[in-house]
Amino acid sequence: MDTISKAKSHIGLLFIICSLLLSVALVSCSDFFEPTTDDEFNGDDGFTSNTEMYTGFLGIMTKLQAVGDKEILLTETRGELIEPTDNSSSELIALYNYDQNLQDNQYANPASYYEVVIACNDYLKNMKAYKNHPNVDSEAWNALVASTVRTKVWAYKTLAEIYGQAVWFDDAITEVTEIKNGDKFQLLSLSDLIDKCLQLMDNGFDGVNTDQQIDWYEWLDPTHTVALSSSEYRKWNYIVPPYAGLYAELCLWKGALLDAGGTAATEYYKKAADLMLKTLGEQINVTSDPGSNVYWLPSAATPGHYTPIWNYAQPYPYEAVSAIIYDYTKNQTNTLLKHFSNEYPNKYLLRPSQAGIDRFLDKTFNPGTSEGDTRYKCCFGTSSGQPYLAKFRPVGSSARVNAYQDDCHIYIYRATQYHMLLCEALNHLKRFTAMNAVFNSGVKAGDSDGCFVAGSPEWEGFASTVDPTKSDWTGTANWGTRKYPSMGIRGCFALTARPVKDNIFELGETATLKFNDLALLDESMLEFAGEGKVYPMMNRMAVRYADPSIVADRVCPKYEASGLEATVRARIMDGGYWVPFELMK
């Protein structure tokens, strides 16, 4: 039975679920969407109804909300852009200084990520017991199990890219303090951890494939009483880490680890490229109104849509893939404005470094830039003579008018990130022409007619699956009355192309791949500034090429003014780009 038919046949149950979910999500100050990591997810009695199955899953989402800002605050403080202010705390300063003992540092403590894992394990245990209940909604059961597995894998992927290791466990426990040395707790290396994540994504849980999606809009409003573009449930569809982005990023990590060991990694880069092309193609190759189907494509519309990515009450559909969402009026908050804003009652604990700001306007680093660059204007502001990271509450914000509205959504994945992941995979498949088009100049019919030729290895996956003679990357499709062809991650901002290599003969294979990887990394420092996405990418590049200077060269300029550059560089070169924290002491 299809989802809509099943939903209609259980209208009474849906009314109960809808009412209960709304009461939990929109009214309670101590339940759904209030990020309180002290609350334990309690499912000891098991599920006895579909309603409990739904609300139990929302308990996991509260744990996900609680970690939403953690990666940003932890990695950006150590990354290329952010520095502490005079108001900052000793813990943030210790992170910034790459102190080698962060054991008592709450920012460095990974416990909240393990609380996500604990909630997922407990939920999966209860779901397995509920599977054969006579009233179980099997379709919903499958989708919720798949979503839970992906949330667990996302937590471990995040631990891997920050700490370089993690404690793996599948048993249901109730508190992080229970994680001790023992058979059921495995301290895994980075390589083993990535393998474990890929295995779980491949194998699923109890026969359920991990690529199944929840569509809250269809389940909770099956008769479409409110249009999708106006529906409160639209944003609910963003809350679960997506299969495509998560799996592709894990494949890039696996590829980097294999490259570091001198082992062929083509299989994993091809998986990542194919998955990104398939997923992007499903959004790009549409012809209906973007209120229902949105295109994820850097285009002429992108500069005008860059600030609304953050200055929007919901995740911005033209760019949003997955996001952790908040609403301060319902006690749903994070601490990003508290840390970055200097407007009362915020604390202004962190600010963009001058070196980081200057990088945006450096025409050697960022060819063709100017002070009118959309990304530069969105990222930075000055108030009372103090520079601040304005991205999460852009100047003149209409969605977050007041300084205390700490409810900015936090993107797990956004569309441009998918294009960047695709570029990294294409680079390692030596599909340099396609990579340069996605990265710099855009996929254009006049330059890339090969993408319409069956069997073209360079452009495999770019053609429309609906009509193989067309590619809506080139603007064949109409969205309303407009056409928006691909212009490239840089080209859409009218920036000069960032140099990349289009062959391996000039530098040799490894040096060519590294040159292009570092070009992608440098662009990420501009595109994803302050979002907690750059530092993990730096770490992946450092692993792939066994070269910590990739991190040091980009991070250390912000330390020159304070005289700490040599100390921090030495610590990074000694492997200190992983956050040092021993969970099982």
Side-chain angles (χ1 to χ4, degrees):
M1 186 183 297
D2 63 80
T3 303
I4 297 178
S5 298
K6 180 173 288 187
K8 288 179 179 177
S9 70
H10 295 294
I11 190 67
L13 174 61
L14 277 170
F15 178 79
I16 295 171
I17 292 172
C18 187
S19 299
L20 181 56
L21 292 184
L22 284 172
S23 67
V24 174
L26 304 181
V27 176
S28 173
C29 293
S30 60
D31 241 328
F32 180 49
F33 282 131
E34 181 184 359
T36 305
T37 58
D38 294 336
D39 294 338
E40 298 301 336
F41 179 76
N42 188 352
D44 293 341
D45 297 331
F47 301 144
T48 60
S49 69
N50 290 326
T51 301
E52 291 181 2
M53 177 178 72
Y54 281 102
T55 55
F57 178 77
L58 297 184
I60 296 173
M61 294 300 100
T62 65
K63 298 298 184 183
L64 194 60
Q65 271 198 325
V67 299
D69 55 10
K70 186 174 183 65
E71 185 171 21
I72 293 174
L73 299 174
L74 177 55
T75 65
E76 291 295 334
T77 306
R78 296 162 63 86
E80 82 292 348
L81 178 63
I82 298 299
E83 65 184 11
T85 68
D86 293 339
N87 303 332
S88 200
S89 68
S90 59
E91 289 188 329
L92 286 169
I93 292 170
L95 282 176
Y96 177 77
N97 289 342
Y98 278 74
D99 281 8
Q100 294 161 307
N101 182 2
L102 297 175
Q103 202 61 33
D104 297 322
N105 191 307
Q106 289 305 303
Y107 288 91
N109 191 330
S112 54
Y113 288 110
Y114 288 104
E115 289 182 2
V116 175
V117 174
I118 289 170
C120 290
N121 286 347
D122 194 43
Y123 185 77
L124 291 172
K125 178 194 73 172
N126 286 311
M127 287 291 275
K128 188 167 186 176
Y130 185 61
K131 181 178 184 179
N132 296 319
H133 192 283
N135 294 327
V136 66
D137 182 334
S138 297
E139 188 175 352
W141 188 93
N142 287 340
L144 290 167
V145 164
S147 297
T148 301
V149 171
R150 294 201 305 276
T151 303
K152 175 178 176 176
V153 170
W154 175 85
Y156 273 121
K157 188 271 301 184
T158 305
L159 286 165
E161 62 195 14
I162 297 174
Y163 299 92
Q165 61 179 10
V167 179
W168 188 281
F169 57 99
D170 295 311
D171 290 356
I173 63 174
T174 59
E175 295 182 351
V176 176
T177 54
E178 295 181 52
I179 300 176
K180 307 291 183 184
N181 288 309
D183 293 340
K184 67 179 182 180
F185 300 110
Q186 300 173 289
L187 180 60
L188 299 182
S189 66
L190 176 65
S191 181
D192 290 341
L193 187 55
I194 296 299
D195 284 345
K196 195 82 168 177
C197 287
L198 283 169
Q199 289 167 11
L200 186 52
M201 290 289 284
D202 286 333
N203 298 332
F205 177 84
D206 203 22
V208 177
N209 294 331
T210 55
D211 61 353
Q212 298 191 47
Q213 303 289 331
I214 284 182
D215 190 335
W216 293 102
Y217 176 64
E218 292 292 346
W219 278 331
L220 299 184
D221 187 9
T223 60
H224 298 181
T225 56
V226 177
L228 175 62
S229 57
S230 303
S231 174
E232 178 75 11
Y233 301 126
R234 178 177 192 156
K235 65 182 180 182
W236 286 39
N237 286 339
Y238 296 121
I239 63 179
V240 178
Y243 174 85
L246 186 57
Y247 196 88
E249 197 170 15
L250 287 169
C251 283
L252 293 180
W253 271 104
K254 179 64 177 177
L257 289 158
L258 290 174
D259 288 340
T263 305
T266 302
E267 170 192 357
Y268 290 95
Y269 293 125
K270 189 173 189 313
K271 285 182 178 180
D274 288 350
L275 190 52
M276 287 292 91
L277 282 166
K278 177 179 182 293
T279 305
L280 287 169
E282 289 172 354
Q283 295 292 336
I284 292 168
N285 292 293
V286 296
T287 56
S288 57
D289 185 272
S292 299
N293 293 289
V294 296
Y295 52 94
W296 296 342
L297 191 67
S299 69
T302 300
H305 288 167
Y306 191 80
T307 298
I309 294 173
W310 293 274
N311 187 27
Y312 204 65
Q314 298 186 12
Y316 201 54
Y318 298 100
E319 179 72 4
V321 178
S322 177
I324 303 172
I325 53 179
Y326 304 82
D327 183 344
Y328 85 100
T329 67
K330 311 298 188 303
N331 233 23
Q332 306 161 17
T333 61
N334 56 63
T335 66
L336 293 182
L337 294 187
K338 172 187 173 183
H339 282 79
F340 291 124
S341 170
N342 66 350
E343 295 177 275
Y344 181 83
N346 295 316
K347 304 299 182 183
Y348 191 54
L349 304 174
L350 297 169
R351 68 187 174 203
S353 65
Q354 191 59 50
I357 295 173
D358 291 345
R359 191 179 286 120
F360 276 73
L361 299 179
D362 181 348
K363 293 190 176 182
T364 301
F365 181 85
N366 187 17
T369 188
S370 71
E371 290 191 1
D373 187 327
T374 300
R375 294 183 297 186
Y376 171 77
K377 292 194 298 182
C378 174
C379 283
F380 307 117
T382 302
S383 178
S384 301
Q386 296 175 315
Y388 68 95
L389 184 67
K391 196 173 214 176
F392 299 107
R393 182 171 170 253
V395 176
S397 174
S398 58
R400 292 171 186 88
V401 178
N402 302 305
Y404 54 79
Q405 291 177 239
D406 288 347
D407 64 346
C408 39
H409 32 266
I410 296 171
Y411 289 101
I412 299 175
Y413 290 100
R414 55 186 183 93
T416 304
Q417 189 178 0
Y418 272 24
H419 286 259
M420 195 69 76
L421 295 174
L422 173 60
C423 285
E424 187 176 337
L426 291 173
N427 181 44
H428 287 273
L429 294 171
K430 305 181 188 66
R431 294 168 62 178
F432 300 131
T433 301
M435 179 208 70
N436 184 51
V438 176
F439 183 43
N440 276 316
S441 57
V443 179
K444 302 172 184 175
D447 299 334
S448 55
D449 289 336
C451 69
F452 305 131
V453 177
S456 169
E458 184 69 34
W459 296 101
E460 179 184 356
F462 281 86
S464 169
T465 56
V466 177
D467 183 350
T469 66
K470 298 178 180 179
S471 172
D472 291 335
W473 287 71
T474 66
T476 305
N478 285 320
W479 293 278
T481 60
R482 301 181 181 132
K483 292 183 179 180
Y484 288 119
S486 161
M487 294 183 68
I489 294 172
R490 283 186 62 79
C492 71
F493 294 106
L495 296 167
T496 305
R498 189 180 290 279
V500 294
K501 301 299 181 183
D502 62 2
N503 65 78
I504 63 173
F505 305 113
E506 177 187 353
L507 300 178
E509 181 172 323
T510 300
T512 298
L513 297 176
K514 185 176 183 180
F515 184 95
N516 290 345
D517 267 348
L518 297 188
L520 298 176
L521 177 58
D522 287 345
E523 188 63 27
S524 292
M525 292 160 59
L526 306 177
E527 176 65 33
F528 307 116
E531 295 180 45
K533 301 182 186 305
V534 177
Y535 197 78
M537 188 176 180
M538 285 186 193
N539 285 352
R540 183 163 67 249
M541 300 300 181
V543 167
R544 176 177 286 137
Y545 299 105
D547 184 4
S549 70
I550 291 173
V551 180
D553 289 348
R554 286 156 180 79
V555 165
C556 288
K558 73 179 186 180
Y559 295 91
E560 291 177 1
S562 63
L564 291 172
E565 192 272 345
T567 299
V568 171
R569 178 175 290 273
R571 290 175 176 174
I572 292 173
M573 295 302 294
D574 196 35
Y577 50 91
W578 302 115
V579 173
F581 196 99
E582 295 181 40
L583 185 67
M584 298 191 298
K585 280 183 67 72

mmCIF file of all heavy atoms in Angstrom, residues 167-182:
data_model
loop_
_atom_site.group_PDB
_atom_site.id
_atom_site.type_symbol
_atom_site.label_atom_id
_atom_site.label_comp_id
_atom_site.label_asym_id
_atom_site.label_seq_id
_atom_site.Cartn_x
_atom_site.Cartn_y
_atom_site.Cartn_z
ATOM 1 N N VAL A 167 34.723 5.286 20.227
ATOM 2 C CA VAL A 167 34.332 4.033 20.875
ATOM 3 C C VAL A 167 33.035 3.561 20.234
ATOM 4 O O VAL A 167 32.013 4.245 20.301
ATOM 5 C CB VAL A 167 34.132 4.222 22.393
ATOM 6 C CG1 VAL A 167 33.703 2.901 23.039
ATOM 7 C CG2 VAL A 167 35.408 4.756 23.035
ATOM 8 N N TRP A 168 33.069 2.383 19.631
ATOM 9 C CA TRP A 168 31.893 1.839 18.967
ATOM 10 C C TRP A 168 31.168 0.878 19.898
ATOM 11 O O TRP A 168 31.795 0.046 20.551
ATOM 12 C CB TRP A 168 32.281 1.107 17.687
ATOM 13 C CG TRP A 168 31.080 0.699 16.870
ATOM 14 C CD1 TRP A 168 30.256 -0.369 17.092
ATOM 15 C CD2 TRP A 168 30.563 1.374 15.724
ATOM 16 N NE1 TRP A 168 29.249 -0.400 16.162
ATOM 17 C CE2 TRP A 168 29.412 0.657 15.303
ATOM 18 C CE3 TRP A 168 30.958 2.513 15.014
ATOM 19 C CZ2 TRP A 168 28.665 1.042 14.191
ATOM 20 C CZ3 TRP A 168 30.211 2.888 13.916
ATOM 21 C CH2 TRP A 168 29.081 2.160 13.510
ATOM 22 N N PHE A 169 29.846 0.996 19.929
ATOM 23 C CA PHE A 169 29.044 0.025 20.679
ATOM 24 C C PHE A 169 27.645 -0.019 20.088
ATOM 25 O O PHE A 169 27.142 0.966 19.569
ATOM 26 C CB PHE A 169 28.990 0.371 22.173
ATOM 27 C CG PHE A 169 28.465 1.736 22.487
ATOM 28 C CD1 PHE A 169 27.144 1.931 22.879
ATOM 29 C CD2 PHE A 169 29.284 2.853 22.409
ATOM 30 C CE1 PHE A 169 26.657 3.191 23.178
ATOM 31 C CE2 PHE A 169 28.811 4.128 22.698
ATOM 32 C CZ PHE A 169 27.481 4.297 23.087
ATOM 33 N N ASP A 170 27.052 -1.178 20.132
ATOM 34 C CA ASP A 170 25.700 -1.388 19.607
ATOM 35 C C ASP A 170 24.696 -1.724 20.705
ATOM 36 O O ASP A 170 23.487 -1.681 20.467
ATOM 37 C CB ASP A 170 25.700 -2.528 18.577
ATOM 38 C CG ASP A 170 26.515 -2.182 17.342
ATOM 39 O OD1 ASP A 170 26.308 -1.085 16.791
ATOM 40 O OD2 ASP A 170 27.363 -2.993 16.935
ATOM 41 N N ASP A 171 25.186 -2.068 21.892
ATOM 42 C CA ASP A 171 24.286 -2.419 22.989
ATOM 43 C C ASP A 171 23.574 -1.181 23.527
ATOM 44 O O ASP A 171 24.092 -0.062 23.467
ATOM 45 C CB ASP A 171 25.056 -3.070 24.140
ATOM 46 C CG ASP A 171 25.552 -4.460 23.781
ATOM 47 O OD1 ASP A 171 25.228 -4.920 22.669
ATOM 48 O OD2 ASP A 171 26.253 -5.072 24.589
ATOM 49 N N ALA A 172 22.392 -1.391 24.067
ATOM 50 C CA ALA A 172 21.630 -0.304 24.669
ATOM 51 C C ALA A 172 22.142 -0.034 26.076
ATOM 52 O O ALA A 172 22.154 -0.928 26.924
ATOM 53 C CB ALA A 172 20.148 -0.656 24.712
ATOM 54 N N ILE A 173 22.597 1.185 26.318
ATOM 55 C CA ILE A 173 22.985 1.634 27.657
ATOM 56 C C ILE A 173 22.250 2.937 27.916
ATOM 57 O O ILE A 173 21.562 3.458 27.037
ATOM 58 C CB ILE A 173 24.512 1.814 27.790
ATOM 59 C CG1 ILE A 173 25.011 2.917 26.833
ATOM 60 C CG2 ILE A 173 25.233 0.496 27.516
ATOM 61 C CD1 ILE A 173 26.484 3.241 27.008
ATOM 62 N N THR A 174 22.387 3.472 29.095
ATOM 63 C CA THR A 174 21.613 4.671 29.436
ATOM 64 C C THR A 174 22.459 5.921 29.613
ATOM 65 O O THR A 174 21.946 7.035 29.472
ATOM 66 C CB THR A 174 20.803 4.453 30.732
ATOM 67 O OG1 THR A 174 21.703 4.138 31.807
ATOM 68 C CG2 THR A 174 19.806 3.318 30.547
ATOM 69 N N GLU A 175 23.756 5.778 29.915
ATOM 70 C CA GLU A 175 24.579 6.949 30.181
ATOM 71 C C GLU A 175 25.970 6.773 29.593
ATOM 72 O O GLU A 175 26.480 5.643 29.507
ATOM 73 C CB GLU A 175 24.707 7.190 31.694
ATOM 74 C CG GLU A 175 23.400 7.549 32.383
ATOM 75 C CD GLU A 175 23.587 7.817 33.855
ATOM 76 O OE1 GLU A 175 24.707 7.547 34.363
ATOM 77 O OE2 GLU A 175 22.651 8.290 34.508
ATOM 78 N N VAL A 176 26.582 7.888 29.249
ATOM 79 C CA VAL A 176 27.943 7.858 28.715
ATOM 80 C C VAL A 176 28.915 7.295 29.739
ATOM 81 O O VAL A 176 29.914 6.652 29.382
ATOM 82 C CB VAL A 176 28.370 9.278 28.282
ATOM 83 C CG1 VAL A 176 29.820 9.299 27.823
ATOM 84 C CG2 VAL A 176 27.459 9.788 27.173
ATOM 85 N N THR A 177 28.640 7.491 31.022
ATOM 86 C CA THR A 177 29.543 6.995 32.068
ATOM 87 C C THR A 177 29.663 5.474 32.061
ATOM 88 O O THR A 177 30.585 4.925 32.656
ATOM 89 C CB THR A 177 29.078 7.462 33.453
ATOM 90 O OG1 THR A 177 27.704 7.075 33.648
ATOM 91 C CG2 THR A 177 29.196 8.969 33.580
ATOM 92 N N GLU A 178 28.734 4.791 31.389
ATOM 93 C CA GLU A 178 28.808 3.335 31.308
ATOM 94 C C GLU A 178 29.831 2.853 30.286
ATOM 95 O O GLU A 178 30.131 1.660 30.219
ATOM 96 C CB GLU A 178 27.439 2.754 30.952
ATOM 97 C CG GLU A 178 26.370 2.958 32.007
ATOM 98 C CD GLU A 178 25.048 2.327 31.590
ATOM 99 O OE1 GLU A 178 25.045 1.135 31.229
ATOM 100 O OE2 GLU A 178 24.026 3.040 31.607
ATOM 101 N N ILE A 179 30.343 3.750 29.457
ATOM 102 C CA ILE A 179 31.305 3.359 28.425
ATOM 103 C C ILE A 179 32.654 3.102 29.082
ATOM 104 O O ILE A 179 33.353 4.025 29.497
ATOM 105 C CB ILE A 179 31.415 4.449 27.344
ATOM 106 C CG1 ILE A 179 30.056 4.680 26.690
ATOM 107 C CG2 ILE A 179 32.451 4.063 26.298
ATOM 108 C CD1 ILE A 179 30.041 5.793 25.674
ATOM 109 N N LYS A 180 32.992 1.843 29.212
ATOM 110 C CA LYS A 180 34.231 1.426 29.852
ATOM 111 C C LYS A 180 34.947 0.440 28.939
ATOM 112 O O LYS A 180 34.395 -0.058 27.965
ATOM 113 C CB LYS A 180 33.953 0.744 31.203
ATOM 114 C CG LYS A 180 33.098 1.548 32.166
ATOM 115 C CD LYS A 180 33.819 2.769 32.690
ATOM 116 C CE LYS A 180 32.969 3.515 33.711
ATOM 117 N NZ LYS A 180 33.611 4.774 34.174
ATOM 118 N N ASN A 181 36.191 0.142 29.275
ATOM 119 C CA ASN A 181 36.900 -0.900 28.542
ATOM 120 C C ASN A 181 36.160 -2.217 28.696
ATOM 121 O O ASN A 181 35.779 -2.604 29.793
ATOM 122 C CB ASN A 181 38.344 -1.042 29.062
ATOM 123 C CG ASN A 181 39.210 0.130 28.648
ATOM 124 O OD1 ASN A 181 39.251 0.486 27.481
ATOM 125 N ND2 ASN A 181 39.896 0.734 29.604
ATOM 126 N N GLY A 182 35.951 -2.911 27.612
ATOM 127 C CA GLY A 182 35.251 -4.191 27.675
ATOM 128 C C GLY A 182 34.887 -4.661 26.289
ATOM 129 O O GLY A 182 35.009 -3.928 25.296
#
